[in-house]
Amino acid sequence: METEDADVIAPETCPRTDGMPMLGLGTWENEDATQCAESVRTALETGYRHIDTAQAYGNEAAVGDGIAAADVDREDVFLATKIWISNLAHDDVLETARESLDRLGVDYLDLLYVHWPSRTYDAEETLAAFAELYNEGLIDNVGVSNFEPEQLEVAVDVCDAPIFANQVEFHPLLPQESVRETCDNLDVDVVGYSPLARGRIIDQPEIQSIAEKHDVTEAQVSLAWAREKDVTAIPKATSANHIADNWGSLTVDLDREDINTIDAIDETSRQVDPGFAPWN
């Protein structure tokens, strides 16, 4: 099947999980302020309603500019950012979260993540600060990112606010079965970053074959597969063409044979692997 023109795929076409649109725009390494703002504006006017950024990306102000420039109400945008590992002490969380709000030009965040369980992260102190922000109404949801099952179980146990989502690298070369199983058991949503394996999925023969079968792109196949796994994908895209192509994945329907073929890919490749990661 051919995907519809992205211009005619309404925002309502995008499924939601607990109110969160299951396809969003990632902004990692989108460091040129003008380009970043334009990509955010373009995405929102294409139909996206989920924008993801982080303190460490250095582009929160540009993301805010893009949201302000778009012909979309702030209340219709699910906006997420992340607290960096040097800012996870209790008081630093409270201070830098407000700084992020100022840079983004918004009064609240739909989702605020612990970026990594590392450096200044202390489960009880860090998450107590997140719960304070939640109780103050500055954030609608508490999230964690790059948490392994053990860290996630502790976070859910100690946080006085619900843990809404765990954002992890996720794509056909890193399906994260144990993380997804733990999230499912704990009623935590999974958000997948680098869902195209930083472009590597384009070269996978299995993905190529399925893309040809459906007359769609490899990126659309990978994003449709993520949706079948109940994972919210946030691919980075800067050009209008890539933004539209990813949005077009919403009309791609994979069959059981397609899913099984992708699941059977016998290759593992983690694209984001810093030394401070909890698995190292």
Side-chain angles (χ1 to χ4, degrees), residues 4-225:
E4 301 174 40
D5 188 308
D7 290 339
V8 299
I9 302 175
E12 296 77 18
T13 302
C14 185
R16 290 176 176 251
T17 176
D18 297 320
M20 175 175 61
M22 291 188 70
L23 180 62
L25 179 74
T27 61
W28 182 36
E29 295 184 336
N30 195 348
E31 297 168 351
D32 180 277
T34 300
Q35 176 182 269
C36 181
E38 179 62 14
S39 63
V40 170
R41 184 196 66 78
T42 298
L44 289 172
E45 295 187 352
T46 297
Y48 289 72
R49 292 296 181 266
H50 181 172
I51 305 294
D52 181 272
T53 184
Q55 292 176 346
Y57 300 171
N59 62 12
E60 287 177 319
V63 168
D65 289 343
I67 293 172
D71 188 22
V72 176
D73 290 341
R74 161 68 186 101
E75 292 73 20
D76 294 331
V77 180
F78 188 95
L79 177 60
T81 192
K82 311 174 194 73
I83 303 287
W84 185 237
I85 59 177
S86 59
N87 299 328
L88 292 171
H90 179 276
D91 292 349
D92 291 339
V93 169
L94 300 179
E95 178 180 353
T96 67
R98 287 175 168 82
E99 291 171 354
S100 287
L101 286 167
D102 288 343
R103 284 190 292 269
L104 287 160
V106 297
D107 296 327
Y108 70 96
L109 292 162
D110 297 88
L111 178 56
L112 182 66
Y113 294 97
V114 176
H115 204 154
W116 294 83
S118 184
R119 302 279 168 84
T120 58
Y121 175 72
D122 175 273
E124 292 190 0
E125 290 196 10
T126 300
L127 292 170
F130 272 69
E132 288 181 38
L133 294 168
Y134 175 82
N135 289 332
E136 288 180 44
L138 294 179
I139 64 176
D140 285 348
N141 296 286
V142 174
V144 297
S145 184
N146 299 297
F147 276 45
E148 291 286 271
E150 297 79 9
Q151 287 88 25
L152 182 60
E153 289 168 353
V154 171
V156 169
D157 184 54
V158 305
C159 189
D160 289 336
I163 301 296
F164 177 82
N166 184 18
Q167 183 179 133
V168 296
E169 181 180 344
F170 174 82
H171 46 73
L173 306 181
L174 192 69
Q176 298 275 25
E177 289 97 339
S178 63
V179 170
R180 289 191 290 118
E181 181 180 0
T182 301
C183 286
D184 186 54
N185 290 338
L186 296 174
D187 196 24
V188 173
D189 289 321
V190 180
V191 177
Y193 68 79
S194 297
L196 309 181
R198 310 200 77 184
R200 289 200 59 187
I201 57 95
I202 294 172
D203 299 322
Q204 291 297 311
E206 297 90 344
I207 303 290
Q208 292 172 341
S209 175
I210 295 168
E212 183 177 359
K213 168 184 171 181
H214 292 282
D215 192 22
V216 298
T217 65
E218 290 83 0
Q220 290 172 339
V221 169
S222 189
L223 296 173
W225 173 81

Side-chain angles (χ1 to χ4, degrees), residues 213-214 228 253-260:
K213 168 184 171 181
H214 292 282
E228 290 290 337
D253 294 318
L254 302 179
D255 58 37
R256 177 46 52 189
E257 180 183 9
D258 299 329
I259 300 297
N260 291 341

